[in-house]
Amino acid sequence: MSGNGDVVLIKDGKRLDGRDFDELRDIKMEVSVLERAAGSAYVEWGKNKVMVGVYGPRELHPKFLQDPTKAMLRCVYNLAPFSVDDRKKPGPDRRSVEISKVTSEALSSVVMLERFPNTVVDVFIEILQADAGTRCAGLTAASLALADAGIPMKDLIASCSAGKIQGQVVVDLMKEEDNFGECDLPMAIIPKKGEVVLLQMDGKLSRDEFKDAYKLAYDGCMKIYDLQRKTLMDSMKKFVGEGGIENGD
Ligand code: ADP
Protein backbone atom coordinates (compact mmCIF):
# COMPACT_ATOMS: atom_id res chain seq x y z
CA MET A 1 0.00 0.00 0.00
CA SER A 2 2.00 2.96 -1.22
CA GLY A 3 -0.95 5.36 -1.55
CA ASN A 4 0.79 6.92 -4.57
CA GLY A 5 -1.50 9.83 -5.48
CA ASP A 6 0.00 10.18 -9.00
CA VAL A 7 -1.44 6.91 -10.28
CA VAL A 8 -4.95 7.23 -11.70
CA LEU A 9 -7.12 4.38 -10.41
CA ILE A 10 -10.56 5.91 -10.98
CA LYS A 11 -11.72 7.58 -14.19
CA ASP A 12 -15.25 8.82 -14.92
CA GLY A 13 -16.57 7.04 -11.82
CA LYS A 14 -15.20 3.65 -12.90
CA ARG A 15 -12.15 1.64 -11.89
CA LEU A 16 -9.27 0.72 -14.24
CA ASP A 17 -10.97 -2.52 -15.32
CA GLY A 18 -14.36 -0.79 -15.76
CA ARG A 19 -15.82 -2.03 -12.47
CA ASP A 20 -18.17 -0.10 -10.21
CA PHE A 21 -16.99 0.56 -6.66
CA ASP A 22 -19.13 -2.29 -5.25
CA GLU A 23 -18.49 -4.78 -8.06
CA LEU A 24 -16.46 -7.98 -7.66
CA ARG A 25 -14.12 -9.30 -10.35
CA ASP A 26 -15.37 -12.22 -12.47
CA ILE A 27 -15.17 -15.46 -10.49
CA LYS A 28 -15.21 -19.11 -11.56
CA MET A 29 -15.21 -22.01 -9.12
CA GLU A 30 -14.86 -25.74 -9.65
CA VAL A 31 -14.48 -28.70 -7.28
CA SER A 32 -13.18 -32.30 -7.66
CA VAL A 33 -10.53 -31.14 -10.13
CA LEU A 34 -7.73 -33.41 -8.80
CA GLU A 35 -8.01 -37.19 -8.83
CA ARG A 36 -5.49 -38.06 -6.13
CA ALA A 37 -6.48 -35.58 -3.41
CA ALA A 38 -9.35 -36.35 -1.01
CA GLY A 39 -10.91 -33.05 -2.05
CA SER A 40 -9.93 -30.24 -4.38
CA ALA A 41 -11.03 -26.92 -5.81
CA TYR A 42 -9.91 -24.52 -8.52
CA VAL A 43 -10.84 -20.85 -8.38
CA GLU A 44 -10.25 -18.10 -10.92
CA TRP A 45 -10.92 -14.71 -9.36
CA GLY A 46 -10.10 -11.93 -11.79
CA LYS A 47 -6.54 -12.76 -12.84
CA ASN A 48 -5.92 -14.87 -9.71
CA LYS A 49 -5.68 -18.62 -10.33
CA VAL A 50 -5.75 -20.85 -7.27
CA MET A 51 -5.61 -24.63 -6.89
CA VAL A 52 -6.27 -26.36 -3.57
CA GLY A 53 -5.80 -30.01 -2.62
CA VAL A 54 -6.93 -31.51 0.69
CA TYR A 55 -5.61 -34.72 2.27
CA GLY A 56 -6.85 -36.53 5.35
CA PRO A 57 -7.91 -36.83 8.04
CA ARG A 58 -4.94 -39.21 8.45
CA GLU A 59 -2.78 -40.19 11.43
CA LEU A 60 -0.48 -37.35 12.45
CA HIS A 61 3.27 -37.95 12.59
CA PRO A 62 5.43 -37.38 14.55
CA LYS A 63 3.19 -38.81 17.26
CA PHE A 64 4.05 -36.24 19.93
CA LEU A 65 2.13 -33.66 17.84
CA GLN A 66 -1.07 -35.71 18.09
CA ASP A 67 -3.98 -34.29 20.08
CA PRO A 68 -6.31 -36.98 21.54
CA THR A 69 -9.17 -34.45 21.60
CA LYS A 70 -9.07 -33.24 18.00
CA ALA A 71 -7.45 -33.20 14.58
CA MET A 72 -4.87 -30.65 13.51
CA LEU A 73 -5.73 -28.53 10.48
CA ARG A 74 -2.52 -27.65 8.66
CA CYS A 75 -2.47 -25.14 5.77
CA VAL A 76 0.33 -24.39 3.39
CA TYR A 77 -0.17 -21.28 1.24
CA ASN A 78 2.37 -21.14 -1.58
CA LEU A 79 2.91 -18.44 -4.19
CA ALA A 80 4.33 -20.25 -7.26
CA PRO A 81 7.57 -18.80 -8.70
CA PHE A 82 5.74 -18.07 -11.98
CA SER A 83 2.68 -16.49 -10.32
CA VAL A 84 4.01 -12.93 -10.28
CA ASP A 85 5.77 -10.60 -12.76
CA ASP A 86 9.31 -11.24 -11.51
CA ARG A 87 10.11 -14.86 -10.67
CA LYS A 88 9.44 -15.33 -6.96
CA LYS A 89 12.08 -17.23 -5.00
CA PRO A 90 10.57 -20.69 -4.36
CA GLY A 91 9.78 -21.78 -0.83
CA PRO A 92 8.22 -20.28 2.27
CA ASP A 93 8.79 -16.68 3.38
CA ARG A 94 7.40 -14.50 6.15
CA ARG A 95 4.32 -13.54 4.11
CA SER A 96 3.39 -17.11 3.17
CA VAL A 97 3.88 -18.32 6.76
CA GLU A 98 1.54 -15.55 7.98
CA ILE A 99 -1.12 -16.32 5.35
CA SER A 100 -0.89 -20.06 6.06
CA LYS A 101 -1.44 -19.35 9.77
CA VAL A 102 -4.45 -17.02 9.43
CA THR A 103 -6.00 -19.33 6.83
CA SER A 104 -5.58 -22.35 9.05
CA GLU A 105 -7.14 -20.49 12.01
CA ALA A 106 -10.12 -19.33 9.94
CA LEU A 107 -10.80 -22.82 8.56
CA SER A 108 -10.38 -24.44 12.00
CA SER A 109 -13.38 -22.42 13.19
CA VAL A 110 -15.74 -24.42 10.96
CA VAL A 111 -14.16 -27.87 10.49
CA MET A 112 -15.38 -30.37 13.12
CA LEU A 113 -11.87 -31.29 14.18
CA GLU A 114 -13.04 -32.96 17.42
CA ARG A 115 -14.46 -35.83 15.35
CA PHE A 116 -10.98 -36.97 14.24
CA PRO A 117 -8.64 -37.16 17.24
CA ASN A 118 -4.90 -37.74 16.67
CA THR A 119 -5.13 -36.96 12.98
CA VAL A 120 -4.16 -34.18 10.59
CA VAL A 121 -6.06 -32.55 7.74
CA ASP A 122 -3.63 -31.06 5.23
CA VAL A 123 -4.72 -28.17 3.01
CA PHE A 124 -2.34 -27.16 0.21
CA ILE A 125 -3.11 -23.80 -1.40
CA GLU A 126 -1.15 -23.18 -4.58
CA ILE A 127 -1.37 -19.69 -6.08
CA LEU A 128 -0.64 -20.30 -9.76
CA GLN A 129 -1.25 -16.69 -10.75
CA ALA A 130 -1.48 -13.73 -8.37
CA ASP A 131 -3.23 -10.40 -8.83
CA ALA A 132 -4.05 -9.27 -5.25
CA GLY A 133 -6.63 -10.82 -2.97
CA THR A 134 -4.95 -14.22 -3.10
CA ARG A 135 -5.50 -14.94 0.61
CA CYS A 136 -9.26 -14.43 0.07
CA ALA A 137 -9.26 -16.56 -3.07
CA GLY A 138 -7.15 -19.21 -1.29
CA LEU A 139 -9.47 -19.35 1.72
CA THR A 140 -12.56 -19.51 -0.49
CA ALA A 141 -11.07 -22.36 -2.54
CA ALA A 142 -9.75 -24.19 0.56
CA SER A 143 -13.18 -24.17 2.12
CA LEU A 144 -14.66 -25.64 -1.09
CA ALA A 145 -11.94 -28.32 -1.22
CA LEU A 146 -12.65 -29.34 2.40
CA ALA A 147 -16.35 -29.66 1.61
CA ASP A 148 -15.46 -31.61 -1.56
CA ALA A 149 -13.42 -34.01 0.61
CA GLY A 150 -16.58 -34.67 2.65
CA ILE A 151 -14.96 -33.41 5.84
CA PRO A 152 -17.71 -32.40 8.31
CA MET A 153 -18.01 -28.63 8.64
CA LYS A 154 -20.43 -26.35 10.46
CA ASP A 155 -20.47 -24.02 7.45
CA LEU A 156 -18.22 -22.83 4.63
CA ILE A 157 -15.81 -19.93 5.03
CA ALA A 158 -16.36 -17.13 2.53
CA SER A 159 -13.76 -14.45 1.99
CA CYS A 160 -13.45 -11.11 0.20
CA SER A 161 -11.56 -7.84 0.63
CA ALA A 162 -12.44 -4.18 0.42
CA GLY A 163 -10.21 -1.13 0.60
CA LYS A 164 -9.60 2.44 -0.39
CA ILE A 165 -8.25 3.76 -3.68
CA GLN A 166 -7.92 7.43 -4.56
CA GLY A 167 -10.02 8.37 -1.54
CA GLN A 168 -12.85 6.01 -2.55
CA VAL A 169 -13.90 2.88 -0.64
CA VAL A 170 -14.22 -0.07 -3.04
CA VAL A 171 -14.61 -3.84 -2.91
CA ASP A 172 -12.16 -6.54 -4.12
CA LEU A 173 -8.91 -4.73 -4.99
CA MET A 174 -6.92 -5.92 -8.00
CA LYS A 175 -3.14 -5.61 -8.17
CA GLU A 176 -2.80 -1.99 -9.36
CA GLU A 177 -5.32 -0.93 -6.72
CA ASP A 178 -3.51 -2.95 -4.06
CA ASN A 179 -0.13 -1.49 -5.07
CA PHE A 180 -1.12 2.16 -5.45
CA GLY A 181 -4.23 2.36 -3.22
CA GLU A 182 -4.40 3.59 0.35
CA CYS A 183 -5.77 0.54 2.16
CA ASP A 184 -6.66 -3.15 1.79
CA LEU A 185 -9.04 -4.89 4.23
CA PRO A 186 -9.30 -8.66 3.68
CA MET A 187 -12.13 -10.39 5.55
CA ALA A 188 -13.42 -13.94 6.00
CA ILE A 189 -16.72 -14.90 7.62
CA ILE A 190 -18.79 -17.87 8.72
CA PRO A 191 -21.82 -16.80 6.66
CA LYS A 192 -24.59 -18.63 8.55
CA LYS A 193 -23.54 -17.11 11.88
CA GLY A 194 -22.36 -13.83 10.36
CA GLU A 195 -19.17 -14.25 12.40
CA VAL A 196 -15.93 -12.65 11.21
CA VAL A 197 -12.97 -15.07 11.44
CA LEU A 198 -10.35 -13.05 9.58
CA LEU A 199 -9.93 -9.29 9.40
CA GLN A 200 -6.63 -7.72 8.47
CA MET A 201 -5.80 -4.15 7.48
CA ASP A 202 -2.90 -2.88 5.42
CA GLY A 203 -3.04 0.93 5.23
CA LYS A 204 -5.21 3.58 6.87
CA LEU A 205 -8.95 4.30 7.01
CA SER A 206 -11.01 6.83 8.97
CA ARG A 207 -13.69 5.40 11.27
CA ASP A 208 -16.45 6.07 8.69
CA GLU A 209 -14.36 4.66 5.83
CA PHE A 210 -13.71 1.56 7.92
CA LYS A 211 -17.47 1.07 8.43
CA ASP A 212 -18.08 1.40 4.67
CA ALA A 213 -15.20 -0.93 3.76
CA TYR A 214 -16.33 -3.46 6.38
CA LYS A 215 -19.83 -3.51 4.87
CA LEU A 216 -18.53 -3.84 1.30
CA ALA A 217 -16.21 -6.72 2.28
CA TYR A 218 -19.00 -8.43 4.25
CA ASP A 219 -21.48 -8.13 1.36
CA GLY A 220 -18.72 -9.40 -0.96
CA CYS A 221 -18.27 -12.46 1.30
CA MET A 222 -22.00 -13.19 1.06
CA LYS A 223 -21.84 -13.06 -2.75
CA ILE A 224 -18.90 -15.46 -2.64
CA TYR A 225 -20.91 -17.75 -0.33
CA ASP A 226 -23.74 -17.93 -2.89
CA LEU A 227 -21.24 -18.91 -5.60
CA GLN A 228 -19.62 -21.51 -3.33
CA ARG A 229 -22.96 -23.15 -2.52
CA LYS A 230 -23.97 -23.18 -6.18
CA THR A 231 -20.63 -24.78 -7.12
CA LEU A 232 -21.08 -27.54 -4.51
CA MET A 233 -24.72 -28.13 -5.45
CA ASP A 234 -23.82 -28.42 -9.16
CA SER A 235 -21.04 -30.87 -8.31
CA MET A 236 -23.41 -32.94 -6.16
CA LYS A 237 -26.07 -33.01 -8.92
CA LYS A 238 -23.43 -34.15 -11.42
CA PHE A 239 -22.26 -36.88 -9.03
CA VAL A 240 -25.81 -38.17 -8.45
CA GLY A 241 -26.58 -37.86 -12.18
CA GLU A 242 -23.60 -40.07 -12.95
CA GLY A 243 -24.96 -42.73 -10.57
CA GLY A 244 -22.27 -42.04 -7.95
CA ILE A 245 -24.49 -42.88 -4.98
CA GLU A 246 -25.96 -46.10 -6.46
CA ASN A 247 -22.47 -47.32 -7.35
CA GLY A 248 -21.35 -46.65 -3.82
CA ASP A 249 -18.44 -44.48 -5.11
P1 ADP B 1 -3.07 -10.75 -1.12
O1 ADP B 1 -2.66 -11.50 -2.36
O2 ADP B 1 -3.86 -11.59 -0.18
O3 ADP B 1 -3.73 -9.42 -1.46
P2 ADP B 1 -0.75 -9.17 -0.36
O4 ADP B 1 -1.51 -7.92 -0.10
O5 ADP B 1 0.40 -9.51 0.54
O6 ADP B 1 -1.73 -10.43 -0.30
O7 ADP B 1 -0.19 -9.18 -1.84
C1 ADP B 1 -0.83 -8.48 -2.87
C2 ADP B 1 -0.29 -8.93 -4.21
O8 ADP B 1 1.09 -8.56 -4.32
C3 ADP B 1 -0.29 -10.43 -4.43
O9 ADP B 1 -1.56 -10.94 -4.80
C4 ADP B 1 0.71 -10.56 -5.54
O10 ADP B 1 0.12 -10.21 -6.80
C5 ADP B 1 1.74 -9.50 -5.16
N1 ADP B 1 2.86 -10.13 -4.43
C6 ADP B 1 2.86 -10.62 -3.18
N2 ADP B 1 4.05 -11.15 -2.85
C7 ADP B 1 4.85 -10.99 -3.93
C8 ADP B 1 6.20 -11.33 -4.25
N3 ADP B 1 7.00 -11.94 -3.37
N4 ADP B 1 6.67 -11.01 -5.47
C9 ADP B 1 5.87 -10.37 -6.38
N5 ADP B 1 4.60 -10.03 -6.15
C10 ADP B 1 4.08 -10.33 -4.96
Side-chain angles (χ1 to χ4, degrees), residues 102-230:
V102 294
T103 301
S104 161
E105 285 171 359
L107 293 171
S108 295
S109 65
V110 288
V111 176
M112 295 179 178
L113 297 171
E114 63 288 350
R115 294 213 188 163
F116 306 99
N118 301 318
T119 68
V120 60
V121 176
D122 276 309
V123 180
F124 295 102
I125 302 171
E126 294 291 327
I127 310 297
L128 306 176
Q129 189 166 284
D131 197 68
T134 59
R135 76 194 64 204
C136 298
L139 247 169
T140 298
S143 151
L144 281 176
L146 283 162
D148 183 52
I151 294 174
M153 295 159 81
K154 294 173 200 149
D155 194 5
L156 296 167
I157 294 289
S159 182
C160 184
S161 82
K164 182 178 159 192
I165 56 165
Q166 249 179 265
Q168 177 68 47
V169 174
V170 300
V171 77
D172 186 22
L173 275 58
M174 60 170 177
K175 188 161 173 289
E176 291 81 355
E177 296 174 333
D178 186 291
N179 285 359
F180 302 114
E182 291 109 86
C183 186
D184 184 24
L185 187 84
M187 176 190 281
I189 64 169
I190 305 174
K192 267 196 255 170
K193 280 206 232 167
E195 190 179 315
V196 175
V197 288
L198 177 143
L199 188 66
Q200 299 184 286
M201 188 155 107
D202 180 14
K204 281 188 188 160
L205 293 174
S206 70
R207 190 177 284 260
D208 284 342
E209 286 166 348
F210 176 80
K211 279 189 195 159
D212 291 346
Y214 186 96
K215 180 163 189 332
L216 273 183
Y218 191 92
D219 292 349
C221 289
M222 293 309 279
K223 288 180 191 163
I224 294 298
Y225 186 49
D226 286 344
L227 288 174
Q228 285 174 307
R229 281 194 305 181
K230 184 175 178 315

Side-chain angles (χ1 to χ4, degrees), residues 235-249:
S235 160
M236 194 55 75
K237 278 183 205 155
K238 196 171 152 216
F239 178 67
V240 173
E242 286 167 1
I245 287 176
E246 280 85 352
N247 292 339
D249 287 355

